[in-house]
Amino acid sequence: YIDLKQIKLKRNKVYLPSPMFSRNDFSIWSILRKCIGMELSKITMPVIFNEPLSFLQRLTEYMEHTYLIHKASSLSSTTERMQCVAAFAVSAVASQWERTGKPFNPLLGETYELIRDDLGFRLLSEQVSHHPPISAFYAEGLNNDFVFHGSIYPKLKFWGKSVEAEPKGTMTLELLEHNEAYTWTNPTCCVHNIIVGKLWIEQYGNVEITNHKTGEKCVLSFKPCGLFGKELHKVEGYIQDKSKKKLCALYGKWTECLYSVDPATFEAYKKNDKKNTEEKKSSKQVSGEKEAEGRPYRPLPVPERCLQ
């Protein structure tokens, strides 16, 4: 005997989307240690390390902040347009924050199409090569105001505790109303604590955005984390004209926002910040010497390992 009322009640308790499990509860080392001596290409990784979407779908996240392109098209100043394009280039990697999952590999010739009337664009992506894996995409504005296209060939490097992904390929943004074309390459992405610990992501490297019509360039530096994490997620750089004169300074975090300021003001701030840091170091050294005056001399212990 089956009570249909009870089945109905159970169905009402099912909600979507289902809560995401934590990948920190699974260790990739428990899998790799069973495969010692085998070729990495023949190891089948569990599906828990994949996101429920393909890489072609993930490419559409580049267009999350399409309003920056529309804003750039409406501006008359070339410097202000470059600021919006730089913010759009940085926003493309912002979606990778805390995204430690790997998207599924598309099949050769697989395509994905997305049309967003609310954001004003349509996009088509395709897997154009299998070995090496290369994905290409083409997006255009519904009002024929821009064209955005490019290809990505992620070059992976395994460093033991981390995996580094260098996204080979050039992004091209064309503002049709101004007859301008901007090109750039994304920074390097690194996933840490692959074997043991909590997974976390950082972006580092230089990104050079070039306006091929005016010769202006925006050179952004994605800071590596460092030993104590002081520079984590930081981005800074300058917009230069074709004679390399600094027109504007940009700074911020690729996980939060990007600010624009006068170059002289930004450089004065950096000098003052560096001066304060040196003063703090010197004050700590002086206080340490005063405390040691009343104590007998003790030789420093030999370090077990170099932390440099």
Side-chain angles (χ1 to χ4, degrees):
Y1 175 75
I2 300 175
D3 190 353
L4 298 179
K5 293 183 179 180
Q6 293 294 329
I7 295 177
K8 195 172 183 179
L9 288 174
K10 290 181 180 179
R11 287 179 179 176
N12 291 337
K13 293 181 180 180
V14 178
Y15 299 96
L16 291 176
S18 178
M20 179 64 179
F21 57 83
S22 176
R23 290 189 178 86
N24 296 321
D25 299 335
F26 303 89
S27 174
I28 194 173
W29 174 243
S30 62
I31 302 164
L32 292 178
R33 67 182 179 182
K34 300 177 183 178
C35 305
I36 296 176
M38 297 176 59
E39 295 183 13
L40 290 178
S41 60
K42 296 183 179 180
I43 298 176
T44 303
M45 301 302 294
V47 75
I48 60 174
F49 294 104
N50 284 81
E51 287 187 332
L53 76 171
S54 72
F55 189 73
L56 298 180
Q57 291 173 293
R58 182 112 177 224
L59 285 177
T60 61
E61 297 178 6
Y62 276 69
M63 308 301 297
E64 182 179 359
H65 302 277
T66 312
Y67 71 92
L68 291 170
I69 302 179
H70 297 309
K71 184 178 180 180
S73 299
S74 64
L75 297 173
S76 58
S77 172
T78 57
T79 304
E80 293 179 352
R81 288 200 295 270
M82 178 64 83
Q83 291 177 4
C84 291
V85 173
F88 175 76
V90 174
S91 69
V93 301
S95 63
Q96 298 180 14
W97 184 37
E98 296 184 344
R99 298 278 293 277
T100 56
K102 172 186 173 296
F104 286 93
N105 295 329
L107 299 175
L108 179 63
E110 181 180 343
T111 60
Y112 180 78
E113 184 179 7
L114 176 66
I115 301 176
R116 291 291 300 269
D117 295 327
D118 54 338
L119 297 179
F121 77 89
R122 52 175 168 260
L123 180 143
L124 178 66
S125 56
E126 181 182 355
Q127 190 73 5
V128 296
S129 176
H130 188 62
H131 287 296
I134 300 177
S135 304
F137 67 92
Y138 180 89
E140 62 182 10
L142 297 180
N143 297 326
N144 295 323
D145 52 348
F146 74 90
V147 170
F148 181 47
H149 56 89
S151 61
I152 295 181
Y153 162 35
K155 190 175 181 182
L156 300 178
K157 295 180 181 179
F158 181 63
W159 298 105
K161 294 183 178 180
S162 62
V163 172
E164 184 181 80
E166 185 179 358
K168 298 284 187 180
T170 303
M171 308 294 167
T172 302
L173 174 63
E174 300 179 20
L175 300 181
L176 303 180
E177 295 181 5
H178 302 278
N179 195 23
E180 292 178 340
Y182 301 82
T183 59
W184 68 88
T185 303
N186 288 328
T188 300
C189 177
C190 186
V191 181
H192 293 273
N193 295 339
I194 295 295
I195 305 298
V196 179
K198 183 179 179 180
L199 295 173
W200 61 281
I201 291 178
E202 71 168 330
Q203 307 273 353
Y204 51 81
N206 294 327
V207 174
E208 185 175 289
I209 306 171
T210 304
N211 184 340
H212 293 275
K213 181 180 179 181
T214 62
E216 292 181 352
K217 291 185 179 181
C218 178
V219 183
L220 297 175
S221 175
F222 286 71
K223 301 291 185 180
C225 175
L227 185 61
F228 300 103
K230 183 180 178 182
E231 304 291 332
L232 182 63
H233 301 159
K234 283 190 176 181
V235 182
E236 62 181 42
Y238 296 94
I239 296 177
Q240 306 171 350
D241 59 11
K242 58 182 179 181
S243 60
K244 295 186 178 182
K245 179 184 176 182
K246 296 178 181 178
L247 304 176
C248 178
L250 302 176
Y251 71 97
K253 292 186 176 181
W254 59 268
T255 56
E256 297 178 3
C257 56
L258 202 63
Y259 299 95
S260 173
V261 72
D262 181 70
T265 305
F266 182 66
E267 290 177 0
Y269 168 78
K270 290 187 66 177
K271 288 181 181 179
N272 189 31
D273 184 53
K274 184 178 180 181
K275 183 180 179 181
N276 292 336
T277 304
E278 292 177 352
E279 288 178 354
K280 288 181 181 179
K281 289 182 180 179
S282 60
S283 62
K284 288 182 180 179
Q285 291 177 357
V286 171
S287 61
E289 291 174 358
K290 289 182 178 180
E291 292 177 359
E293 287 179 358
R295 298 198 302 264
Y297 171 77
R298 294 180 181 178
L300 293 174
V302 179
E304 296 181 358
R305 59 191 180 92
C306 179
L307 297 177
Q308 186 177 358

